[in-house]
C-alpha cells in the first residue's frame, strides 16, 4: 500500500473516531434532533478494503456534511453556540479534508497502475 495512503488513512481513522464520539455527545445535548449521520469504519486498513469500501464511506461523509451545513445554517440557533456541535463541525471539516486527500491519492495511484 502506498505510504501516503497509510498516513492519510490513519489520520482519517482518528478523525472518524473523534466524530463518532461527538455524534453521541450531540445526540445527548439535543435529543430533539436527529442524530448526526454515521460514518462507518473501514473493516481493515488494506488497500483492497479501501478501494472496495471507500465509495460507501464517501457517501456517508457527504450525508454527514449536509447535516453539518443544515445545523450551521440555522440562524439564532442554540446549536451554533453549543461546544459539542462546534466540535462536530470541526471534526466534519477534518474528515472532509482527509477524505479529499485519500480520494486524490487513490485517483493518482489508479492512473499510475493503468500505465
Amino acid at each position: 500500500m502506498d505510504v501516503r495512503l497509510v498516513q492519510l488513512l490513519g489520520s482519517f481513522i482518528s478523525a472518524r473516531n473523534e466524530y463518532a464520539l461527538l455524534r453521541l455527545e450531540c445526540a445527548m445535548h439535543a435529543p430533539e434532533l436527529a442524530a448526526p449521520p454515521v460514518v462507518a469504519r473501514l473493516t481493515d486498513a488494506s488497500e483492497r478494503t479501501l478501494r472496495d469500501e471507500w465509495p460507501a464511506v464517501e457517501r456517508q461523509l457527504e450525508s454527514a456534511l449536509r447535516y453539518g451545513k443544515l445545523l450551521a445554517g440555522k440562524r439564532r440557533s442554540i446549536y451554533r453556540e453549543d461546544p459539542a456541535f462546534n466540535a462536530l463541525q470541526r471534526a466534519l471539516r477534518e474528515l472532509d479534508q482527509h477524505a479529499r486527500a485519500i480520494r486524490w491519492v487513490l485517483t493518482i495511484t489508479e492512473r499510475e497502475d493503468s500505465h
Side-chain angles (χ1 to χ4, degrees), residues 5-44:
L5 272 179
V6 171
Q7 293 170 337
L8 287 168
L9 191 53
S11 297
F12 181 85
I13 289 168
S14 294
R16 183 247 163 235
N17 291 341
E18 179 70 17
Y19 172 77
L21 292 173
L22 287 166
R23 51 180 304 276
L24 294 175
E25 189 174 343
C26 288
M28 289 182 354
H29 280 229
E32 70 279 5
L33 289 178
V38 170
V39 175
R41 322 171 18 136
L42 297 169
T43 54
D44 63 37

Side-chain angles (χ1 to χ4, degrees), residues 7 11-12 29 32 41 70 75 86 93 102 109 113:
Q7 293 170 337
S11 297
F12 181 85
H29 280 229
E32 70 279 5
R41 322 171 18 136
L70 242 161
R75 290 180 177 222
N86 288 328
R93 283 192 299 274
I102 289 169
T109 56
D113 290 345

Side-chain angles (χ1 to χ4, degrees), residues 71-103:
L71 282 181
K74 294 184 181 218
R75 290 180 177 222
R76 299 185 200 155
S77 169
I78 60 170
Y79 311 116
R80 292 182 77 163
E81 303 300 321
D82 187 295
F85 283 95
N86 288 328
L88 183 81
Q89 294 288 10
R90 284 190 302 277
L92 283 169
R93 283 192 299 274
E94 186 177 351
L95 278 171
D96 187 39
Q97 289 172 347
H98 294 312
R100 289 172 188 269
I102 289 169
R103 171 52 55 203

